[in-house]
Amino acid sequence: MKNFLNINRLSKDELHSLITLAHDFKNGKKAQLKKPVYGANLFFENSTRTHSSFQMAELKLGMKLIGINPSTSSVTKGESLSDTIKTLQAIGVDVVVIRHPKTGWYQGIDTDPRVRLSLVNAGDGHGQHPSQSLLDLMTITEEFGRFNLNGLNIGIFGDLSHSRVARSNAQLFFDLGANVYFSGPKKWYPKDFDQYGKFIEPEDVDKLLPKLDVVMELRVQLERFDQSAAGSFTPKAYYEKYGLSDAKAHLMKKTSIIMHPAPVNRGVEIASDLVEAPQSRIFKQMHNGVYARMAILYSVLKSMNLIEEPEYEHIN
Ligand code: CP
């Protein structure tokens, strides 16, 4: 796996290896690099979790990082993303992690034979958030003790239309055997999600909650709405109709968990106290993100023959 771009391009075996590797890193596995390996993190959209946990993962793997800020780079002079990547390659960068507002920013760049460094997608527009999907899968497999999601009932609720997390997770969970349910404002429901699960009308969510194993709330991404839609959005009305309140959370099974990719709009998509409630795995998701990203980076470095360990060793 030279590049990590789209979670749905990976086979079940590749996913399983990445999850196992992430668990091994969480249990103390160390990596040894064959030579100094240089990384650059290019975030054209704001980020706290993804940016800092990729950076933490890179440092834990022993990589060296060069700092580059798109807002002060020559991208502001019109340099293309492709030329920016080739520039970083020319100065010796081995891996570039990119978050970009353009859906599928990597298309064409990933097939360009002149691009030899590794590309890692940290989120592309409304497309994919594959490292988030991997850490979400890691969190679910830890919780339920199995990689196979057969029969698991997972609800993904909220701003589905703008969410790359929803898009990559819906397909991933469906492919791994889960029963996937969606809800939220109907106007924010992408019709093509019908192939992965079932839309539940908001007034029927109370009947669904007792059967769910995972309740995944999504942030309302006001920054992606046009101005008039963002201006007419009322957080209180949204919470009352669609948010996960304490009363709704009481309908969930004791064994079910609450997830959210974060950042969280407390009191909008979820009651503030539920963020750190016993059933919440929101901060665990962030913690697992470091190990999931170590697994991703380790795998791309291994494919570039930059990892010292010739054999993969499983740590129990
Ligand atoms: N979940 C997530 O992608 O968070 P950031 O935008 O802070 O990276």
Side-chain angles (χ1 to χ4, degrees):
M1 189 181 76
K2 173 182 164 274
N3 299 325
F4 179 82
L5 299 171
N6 180 322
I7 197 86
N8 310 116
R9 282 187 188 173
L10 301 177
S11 68
K12 282 186 187 160
D13 283 348
E14 285 172 314
L15 281 169
H16 197 214
S17 295
L18 281 167
I19 292 291
T20 307
L21 196 46
H23 284 301
D24 285 352
F25 279 121
K26 194 171 178 178
N27 288 331
K29 177 181 170 68
K30 301 270 181 279
Q32 204 182 334
L33 304 177
K34 283 189 173 171
K35 65 178 190 70
V37 174
Y38 296 93
N41 299 321
L42 273 178
F43 279 68
F44 293 87
E45 286 185 338
N46 292 340
S47 166
T48 297
R49 273 145 292 274
T50 312
H51 196 167
S52 56
S53 62
F54 262 116
Q55 197 168 351
M56 183 62 84
E58 288 155 346
L59 295 173
K60 279 178 178 270
L61 289 171
M63 292 170 61
K64 296 179 189 299
L65 301 181
I66 64 154
I68 177 158
N69 179 351
S71 66
T72 54
S73 74
S74 287
V75 168
T76 59
K77 302 175 199 164
E79 189 165 43
S80 68
L81 182 59
S82 168
D83 280 344
T84 303
I85 291 168
K86 287 178 195 160
T87 301
L88 292 172
Q89 175 176 282
I91 64 169
V93 168
D94 301 291
V95 183
V96 66
V97 176
I98 298 178
R99 170 173 286 187
H100 198 282
K102 184 178 173 203
T103 300
W105 60 258
Y106 49 83
Q107 280 158 9
I109 300 174
D110 58 337
T111 51
D112 184 340
R114 295 164 296 186
V115 176
R116 294 176 303 281
L117 50 60
S118 277
L119 303 167
V120 176
N121 183 8
D124 62 292
H126 300 169
Q128 282 260 323
H129 195 342
S131 64
Q132 178 75 41
S133 289
L134 194 71
L135 74 88
D136 286 344
L137 181 61
M138 178 183 180
T139 306
I140 293 172
T141 58
E142 269 184 0
E143 192 67 36
F144 297 97
R146 59 192 165 101
F147 173 72
N148 186 320
L149 305 186
N150 275 350
L152 216 60
N153 295 317
I154 302 181
I156 307 178
F157 299 148
D159 182 0
L160 295 153
S161 60
H162 296 106
S163 177
R164 52 193 170 215
V165 176
R167 186 162 290 283
S168 38
N169 279 355
Q171 190 175 344
L172 176 68
F173 298 160
F174 171 78
D175 286 346
L176 292 176
N179 305 313
V180 184
Y181 300 91
F182 306 104
S183 195
K186 190 82 185 246
K187 63 182 178 196
W188 297 349
Y189 178 64
K191 199 69 189 120
D192 65 309
F193 276 27
D194 278 351
Q195 62 191 306
Y196 310 125
K198 189 171 176 205
F199 183 82
I200 304 296
E201 296 295 339
E203 46 276 22
D204 293 330
V205 165
D206 283 7
K207 280 185 266 168
L208 175 71
L209 284 169
K211 82 179 218 185
L212 292 180
D213 299 293
V214 177
V215 174
M216 182 175 288
E217 293 290 332
L218 302 170
R219 182 173 69 87
V220 179
Q221 301 191 29
L222 282 182
E223 74 277 17
R224 298 190 195 274
F225 285 77
D226 65 44
Q227 257 184 341
S228 67
S232 63
F233 178 77
T234 319
K236 188 168 177 289
Y238 181 89
Y239 176 68
E240 282 167 7
K241 187 154 186 198
Y242 307 107
L244 186 66
S245 61
D246 289 294
K248 283 188 181 158
H250 275 301
L251 300 172
M252 293 167 57
K253 289 186 283 191
K254 292 264 179 297
T255 52
S256 59
I257 60 169
I258 297 168
M259 299 176 71
H260 189 307
V264 176
N265 292 311
R266 290 177 183 249
V268 180
E269 58 261 2
I270 183 168
S272 183
D273 60 308
L274 290 178
V275 174
E276 280 134 318
Q279 279 179 288
S280 169
R281 298 294 177 271
I282 296 173
F283 284 97
K284 187 175 187 185
Q285 287 171 265
M286 297 176 207
H287 183 65
N288 283 343
V290 174
Y291 305 108
R293 288 170 177 127
M294 285 178 82
I296 292 164
L297 292 163
Y298 180 94
S299 299
V300 301
L301 296 181
K302 194 167 176 184
S303 83
M304 295 169 83
N305 198 24
L306 293 170
I307 296 284
E308 190 63 73
E309 301 152 293
E311 291 301 324
Y312 170 60
E313 183 193 341
H314 180 65
I315 296 173
N316 288 312

